[in-house]
Amino acid sequence: MAWCCSSNPFAAFISDQPCAKAQTPSTLREQKRTTVGTDVVASEKLRIKQNRKITKKVAGWLEYVHPRVYERFKSKDELHAVLMQIAKGLEPDEDPLLPAGDGCVCWLGDVVHDSEEPMFYMQMPEDATPACRAVKRMIVFCFADDESFAKFDLPPLGEPVRMMCGNQSCTRLDHIALST
């Protein structure tokens, strides 16, 4: 059976002539494979573009890292790896430190099941295996100045960080609640 590809879908019903460009199911599968291959190339290009944005964002963040962070991380590479993990959990065009607007910068990565608190896995030199780390705590630790760091209302470990916006998936530094 031939598949008709005429611009008029009813041509096969009103004409005795076979379609000029008949396609069989096997040729359609080949076209689909080609299309899928093209989509894979396009998605790879998008992934590369997003990785460039993420790398550029992290490079910008490194300028704002507080000196206390270098006491905790043994090398700039360790810190860079952690910041890359955080950046990959966000939209490539969103920045919790230097946001474009007033809205939340929402976390798209892993969360703590019961509280929806943004988290990521990180292995510190003293850890045998990667451990769950709170994203917002790491952002505060890395980027808050001393005065703000002392005022942040950080709850005990394991409890969610309070957000002034009320959105637990928000990672925006200026939305994290300060002590009163």
Side-chain angles (χ1 to χ4, degrees), residues 64-69 97 139-152 173 178:
Y64 297 100
V65 170
H66 192 278
R68 75 175 152 262
V69 175
L97 306 181
I139 289 173
V140 168
F141 177 70
C142 289
F143 301 108
D145 62 26
D146 288 328
E147 183 181 347
S148 297
F149 187 71
K151 290 182 180 179
F152 275 108
L173 183 61
L178 297 173

mmCIF file of all heavy atoms in Angstrom, residues 64-69 97 139-152 173 178:
data_model
loop_
_atom_site.group_PDB
_atom_site.id
_atom_site.type_symbol
_atom_site.label_atom_id
_atom_site.label_comp_id
_atom_site.label_asym_id
_atom_site.label_seq_id
_atom_site.Cartn_x
_atom_site.Cartn_y
_atom_site.Cartn_z
ATOM 1 N N TYR A 64 32.017 37.455 44.409
ATOM 2 C CA TYR A 64 31.284 37.877 45.602
ATOM 3 C C TYR A 64 31.455 36.936 46.790
ATOM 4 O O TYR A 64 30.856 37.164 47.849
ATOM 5 C CB TYR A 64 29.786 37.996 45.275
ATOM 6 C CG TYR A 64 29.498 39.053 44.246
ATOM 7 C CD1 TYR A 64 29.280 38.702 42.914
ATOM 8 C CD2 TYR A 64 29.450 40.399 44.596
ATOM 9 C CE1 TYR A 64 29.012 39.668 41.955
ATOM 10 C CE2 TYR A 64 29.192 41.374 43.641
ATOM 11 C CZ TYR A 64 28.968 41.001 42.324
ATOM 12 O OH TYR A 64 28.718 41.957 41.381
ATOM 13 N N VAL A 65 32.230 35.895 46.639
ATOM 14 C CA VAL A 65 32.395 34.919 47.721
ATOM 15 C C VAL A 65 33.078 35.575 48.922
ATOM 16 O O VAL A 65 34.090 36.258 48.787
ATOM 17 C CB VAL A 65 33.200 33.691 47.230
ATOM 18 C CG1 VAL A 65 33.583 32.783 48.377
ATOM 19 C CG2 VAL A 65 32.399 32.916 46.200
ATOM 20 N N HIS A 66 32.517 35.341 50.096
ATOM 21 C CA HIS A 66 33.070 35.896 51.336
ATOM 22 C C HIS A 66 34.347 35.137 51.711
ATOM 23 O O HIS A 66 34.432 33.920 51.512
ATOM 24 C CB HIS A 66 32.033 35.772 52.460
ATOM 25 C CG HIS A 66 32.389 36.555 53.667
ATOM 26 N ND1 HIS A 66 33.263 36.078 54.619
ATOM 27 C CD2 HIS A 66 32.013 37.793 54.071
ATOM 28 C CE1 HIS A 66 33.398 36.988 55.572
ATOM 29 N NE2 HIS A 66 32.650 38.031 55.268
ATOM 30 N N PRO A 67 35.344 35.824 52.296
ATOM 31 C CA PRO A 67 36.603 35.160 52.668
ATOM 32 C C PRO A 67 36.440 33.961 53.620
ATOM 33 O O PRO A 67 37.247 33.033 53.580
ATOM 34 C CB PRO A 67 37.406 36.272 53.341
ATOM 35 C CG PRO A 67 36.862 37.533 52.753
ATOM 36 C CD PRO A 67 35.411 37.274 52.484
ATOM 37 N N ARG A 68 35.391 33.949 54.453
ATOM 38 C CA ARG A 68 35.204 32.819 55.373
ATOM 39 C C ARG A 68 35.050 31.498 54.621
ATOM 40 O O ARG A 68 35.356 30.434 55.147
ATOM 41 C CB ARG A 68 34.006 33.053 56.290
ATOM 42 C CG ARG A 68 32.680 32.878 55.632
ATOM 43 C CD ARG A 68 31.494 32.994 56.602
ATOM 44 N NE ARG A 68 30.353 33.472 55.842
ATOM 45 C CZ ARG A 68 29.953 34.731 55.785
ATOM 46 N NH1 ARG A 68 30.562 35.650 56.505
ATOM 47 N NH2 ARG A 68 28.934 35.080 55.034
ATOM 48 N N VAL A 69 34.583 31.567 53.388
ATOM 49 C CA VAL A 69 34.343 30.367 52.587
ATOM 50 C C VAL A 69 35.659 29.646 52.298
ATOM 51 O O VAL A 69 35.710 28.416 52.296
ATOM 52 C CB VAL A 69 33.612 30.735 51.279
ATOM 53 C CG1 VAL A 69 33.459 29.541 50.370
ATOM 54 C CG2 VAL A 69 32.252 31.347 51.613
ATOM 55 N N LEU A 97 21.655 35.764 43.526
ATOM 56 C CA LEU A 97 22.438 36.868 44.100
ATOM 57 C C LEU A 97 22.121 38.191 43.439
ATOM 58 O O LEU A 97 22.004 39.219 44.102
ATOM 59 C CB LEU A 97 23.938 36.600 43.951
ATOM 60 C CG LEU A 97 24.457 35.280 44.486
ATOM 61 C CD1 LEU A 97 25.957 35.191 44.280
ATOM 62 C CD2 LEU A 97 24.100 35.123 45.938
ATOM 63 N N ILE A 139 24.204 29.269 50.195
ATOM 64 C CA ILE A 139 24.186 30.604 49.589
ATOM 65 C C ILE A 139 24.480 31.669 50.642
ATOM 66 O O ILE A 139 25.291 32.572 50.425
ATOM 67 C CB ILE A 139 22.836 30.857 48.868
ATOM 68 C CG1 ILE A 139 22.758 29.986 47.605
ATOM 69 C CG2 ILE A 139 22.661 32.333 48.524
ATOM 70 C CD1 ILE A 139 21.410 30.012 46.910
ATOM 71 N N VAL A 140 23.835 31.565 51.796
ATOM 72 C CA VAL A 140 24.084 32.522 52.889
ATOM 73 C C VAL A 140 25.545 32.449 53.329
ATOM 74 O O VAL A 140 26.216 33.472 53.466
ATOM 75 C CB VAL A 140 23.132 32.257 54.083
ATOM 76 C CG1 VAL A 140 23.561 33.040 55.310
ATOM 77 C CG2 VAL A 140 21.704 32.589 53.704
ATOM 78 N N PHE A 141 26.047 31.240 53.555
ATOM 79 C CA PHE A 141 27.422 31.061 53.992
ATOM 80 C C PHE A 141 28.417 31.653 52.995
ATOM 81 O O PHE A 141 29.369 32.332 53.378
ATOM 82 C CB PHE A 141 27.715 29.566 54.201
ATOM 83 C CG PHE A 141 29.136 29.274 54.577
ATOM 84 C CD1 PHE A 141 29.643 29.631 55.816
ATOM 85 C CD2 PHE A 141 29.983 28.630 53.681
ATOM 86 C CE1 PHE A 141 30.959 29.367 56.162
ATOM 87 C CE2 PHE A 141 31.304 28.361 54.018
ATOM 88 C CZ PHE A 141 31.790 28.723 55.256
ATOM 89 N N CYS A 142 28.184 31.417 51.717
ATOM 90 C CA CYS A 142 29.139 31.852 50.688
ATOM 91 C C CYS A 142 29.085 33.347 50.386
ATOM 92 O O CYS A 142 30.113 33.937 50.069
ATOM 93 C CB CYS A 142 28.897 31.074 49.396
ATOM 94 S SG CYS A 142 29.392 29.348 49.463
ATOM 95 N N PHE A 143 27.892 33.958 50.477
ATOM 96 C CA PHE A 143 27.761 35.297 49.909
ATOM 97 C C PHE A 143 27.326 36.402 50.869
ATOM 98 O O PHE A 143 27.451 37.576 50.527
ATOM 99 C CB PHE A 143 26.801 35.249 48.722
ATOM 100 C CG PHE A 143 27.265 34.308 47.652
ATOM 101 C CD1 PHE A 143 26.621 33.103 47.447
ATOM 102 C CD2 PHE A 143 28.367 34.602 46.874
ATOM 103 C CE1 PHE A 143 27.049 32.215 46.468
ATOM 104 C CE2 PHE A 143 28.814 33.725 45.894
ATOM 105 C CZ PHE A 143 28.153 32.526 45.692
ATOM 106 N N ALA A 144 26.832 36.086 52.029
ATOM 107 C CA ALA A 144 26.389 37.140 52.946
ATOM 108 C C ALA A 144 27.595 37.806 53.604
ATOM 109 O O ALA A 144 28.557 37.139 53.972
ATOM 110 C CB ALA A 144 25.468 36.554 54.013
ATOM 111 N N ASP A 145 27.520 39.138 53.763
ATOM 112 C CA ASP A 145 28.589 39.817 54.501
ATOM 113 C C ASP A 145 28.449 39.470 55.989
ATOM 114 O O ASP A 145 27.449 38.861 56.404
ATOM 115 C CB ASP A 145 28.553 41.330 54.257
ATOM 116 C CG ASP A 145 27.269 42.002 54.722
ATOM 117 O OD1 ASP A 145 26.595 41.481 55.641
ATOM 118 O OD2 ASP A 145 26.920 43.047 54.169
ATOM 119 N N ASP A 146 29.435 39.827 56.797
ATOM 120 C CA ASP A 146 29.445 39.427 58.208
ATOM 121 C C ASP A 146 28.219 39.917 58.970
ATOM 122 O O ASP A 146 27.622 39.169 59.752
ATOM 123 C CB ASP A 146 30.716 39.935 58.904
ATOM 124 C CG ASP A 146 31.956 39.176 58.459
ATOM 125 O OD1 ASP A 146 31.843 37.977 58.141
ATOM 126 O OD2 ASP A 146 33.045 39.789 58.421
ATOM 127 N N GLU A 147 27.831 41.172 58.747
ATOM 128 C CA GLU A 147 26.683 41.736 59.459
ATOM 129 C C GLU A 147 25.398 40.984 59.096
ATOM 130 O O GLU A 147 24.628 40.587 59.971
ATOM 131 C CB GLU A 147 26.548 43.227 59.124
ATOM 132 C CG GLU A 147 25.425 43.918 59.867
ATOM 133 C CD GLU A 147 25.307 45.392 59.500
ATOM 134 O OE1 GLU A 147 26.217 45.950 58.860
ATOM 135 O OE2 GLU A 147 24.273 45.980 59.867
ATOM 136 N N SER A 148 25.167 40.774 57.816
ATOM 137 C CA SER A 148 23.976 40.047 57.374
ATOM 138 C C SER A 148 24.019 38.596 57.826
ATOM 139 O O SER A 148 23.003 38.031 58.251
ATOM 140 C CB SER A 148 23.852 40.091 55.850
ATOM 141 O OG SER A 148 23.694 41.409 55.410
ATOM 142 N N PHE A 149 25.196 37.977 57.746
ATOM 143 C CA PHE A 149 25.343 36.575 58.141
ATOM 144 C C PHE A 149 24.903 36.373 59.590
ATOM 145 O O PHE A 149 24.237 35.406 59.933
ATOM 146 C CB PHE A 149 26.795 36.126 57.937
ATOM 147 C CG PHE A 149 27.021 34.660 58.164
ATOM 148 C CD1 PHE A 149 26.540 33.718 57.270
ATOM 149 C CD2 PHE A 149 27.729 34.217 59.263
ATOM 150 C CE1 PHE A 149 26.753 32.365 57.477
ATOM 151 C CE2 PHE A 149 27.949 32.864 59.483
ATOM 152 C CZ PHE A 149 27.456 31.933 58.582
ATOM 153 N N ALA A 150 25.261 37.347 60.447
ATOM 154 C CA ALA A 150 24.886 37.271 61.863
ATOM 155 C C ALA A 150 23.380 37.454 62.057
ATOM 156 O O ALA A 150 22.813 36.956 63.022
ATOM 157 C CB ALA A 150 25.646 38.329 62.656
ATOM 158 N N LYS A 151 22.720 38.151 61.131
ATOM 159 C CA LYS A 151 21.291 38.447 61.271
ATOM 160 C C LYS A 151 20.378 37.421 60.600
ATOM 161 O O LYS A 151 19.174 37.455 60.825
ATOM 162 C CB LYS A 151 20.981 39.826 60.688
ATOM 163 C CG LYS A 151 21.539 40.955 61.517
ATOM 164 C CD LYS A 151 21.157 42.287 60.906
ATOM 165 C CE LYS A 151 21.708 43.436 61.724
ATOM 166 N NZ LYS A 151 21.363 44.731 61.126
ATOM 167 N N PHE A 152 20.920 36.561 59.742
ATOM 168 C CA PHE A 152 20.053 35.599 59.078
ATOM 169 C C PHE A 152 19.413 34.680 60.095
ATOM 170 O O PHE A 152 20.057 34.229 61.041
ATOM 171 C CB PHE A 152 20.798 34.787 58.019
ATOM 172 C CG PHE A 152 20.854 35.475 56.689
ATOM 173 C CD1 PHE A 152 22.038 36.014 56.236
ATOM 174 C CD2 PHE A 152 19.722 35.599 55.901
ATOM 175 C CE1 PHE A 152 22.100 36.665 55.010
ATOM 176 C CE2 PHE A 152 19.764 36.251 54.676
ATOM 177 C CZ PHE A 152 20.953 36.785 54.238
ATOM 178 N N LEU A 173 18.727 35.303 47.702
ATOM 179 C CA LEU A 173 19.400 35.704 48.936
ATOM 180 C C LEU A 173 18.614 36.776 49.690
ATOM 181 O O LEU A 173 18.480 36.700 50.908
ATOM 182 C CB LEU A 173 20.829 36.182 48.634
ATOM 183 C CG LEU A 173 21.693 36.561 49.827
ATOM 184 C CD1 LEU A 173 21.899 35.378 50.751
ATOM 185 C CD2 LEU A 173 23.053 37.090 49.349
ATOM 186 N N LEU A 178 15.584 37.515 57.846
ATOM 187 C CA LEU A 178 16.553 37.955 58.843
ATOM 188 C C LEU A 178 15.921 37.877 60.220
ATOM 189 O O LEU A 178 14.709 37.967 60.369
ATOM 190 C CB LEU A 178 16.974 39.413 58.568
ATOM 191 C CG LEU A 178 17.696 39.679 57.253
ATOM 192 C CD1 LEU A 178 17.883 41.181 57.046
ATOM 193 C CD2 LEU A 178 19.041 38.996 57.235
#
